[in-house]
Structure formats: C-alpha cells, structure tokens
Amino acid sequence: MRVAVLALALIALAACKEDAAQTPADPLALIGTGTEWTITEIAGAAVPEGVRVTLLSPEPGMIAGTSGCNRYAGRIETREGALHVGALAGTRMMCPPAQMQVEQAFHSTIGAVTALRLTGPALDFTDAAGQVILRASR
C-alpha cells in the first residue's frame, strides 16, 4: 500500500514539474528556428482582436515578424546570461490607430526583454526584474 501511495505521489510530482516554467541553458532555444509565435499580451494588456503581432527566428540570432501593422527584423543574442534584442528594422506603413498603438507598445517593450521561459504552452518574455512583459503562444 505504501509503495502504491509513493508511486502516485511521484507521478503527481512529475506532472507538476512538467507544468512549471522551463528555462534551458540557451533561452533562444525556446523560440526555435522557424516556429512562429503569436504575441497575445504586451505589458500585461491583451493584443486586441484583429491585430496580429508575431515573432519567429528565421535563423539563429535573428527575429522577425509582424508588429501590429508592419513587418520587422532584428538581432537577438544571449550575452552575460541575459538576452539582448538589437534595434529592429521594419517597414513603415500607416495603419488604423488601434494597430499603430499595439505596434508602438510592442516596439517599446521588446527592447527590455532579458529572458525567456516556457510556462505550459505560453512563451513568456521577461524583463530584468523577472516580470512578464510579452506573452506568446504557438
């Protein structure tokens, strides 16, 4: 009986561990090459319905996607244990105000990202204080 209880406890503990946030040695591995992530939250606010913000890594050390209105691309690297997002280049179209507000929020937030963690199906982008500043899903 004790063995069965111990086995069940170990299974439950293993399940909890799988749900916990995961951060590998190289956090860029969480993005994955060619995997497109949809940004669902920026600075704690949900991305509005009909506005698309994405992020993918077309090759190691690069990120690209849509920022609400325009397309962007830039460099990302791990330096001294923290992520560093370089300046982003992008197209310069004008869109409706809601899209432009989301785009401005994305561009002003992504530069503060210093770490990534996988929490269940969500990819969390955190700042130096460990606060989630961007959240994405596949």
Side-chain angles (χ1 to χ4, degrees):
M1 179 72 165
R2 286 184 182 172
V3 173
V5 171
L6 180 60
L8 287 175
L10 289 174
I11 290 170
L13 186 59
C16 290
K17 184 177 179 182
E18 288 176 13
D19 288 341
Q22 298 175 17
T23 305
D26 179 8
L28 292 177
L30 291 176
I31 295 174
T33 303
T35 300
E36 183 175 75
W37 293 88
T38 299
I39 306 297
T40 57
E41 291 179 23
I42 301 172
V47 173
E49 186 104 11
V51 179
R52 186 159 164 79
V53 182
T54 63
L55 182 138
L56 66 90
S57 177
E59 62 184 65
M62 295 290 299
I63 56 171
T66 59
S67 53
C69 175
N70 290 285
R71 300 214 36 88
Y72 70 89
R75 307 233 15 106
I76 187 169
E77 65 180 342
T78 304
R79 194 174 348 130
E80 298 175 4
L83 286 181
H84 293 274
V85 177
L88 301 178
T91 58
R92 300 192 59 162
M93 298 184 304
M94 289 300 294
C95 291
Q99 287 176 275
M100 296 306 293
Q101 288 173 337
V102 169
E103 182 163 286
Q104 182 181 12
F106 175 77
H107 282 282
S108 65
T109 303
I110 195 163
V113 169
T114 61
L116 297 172
R117 70 176 177 238
L118 195 58
T119 307
L123 180 61
D124 291 337
F125 297 73
T126 60
D127 62 13
Q131 298 297 309
V132 176
I133 56 175
L134 295 172
R135 178 165 282 153
S137 63
R138 288 183 218 192

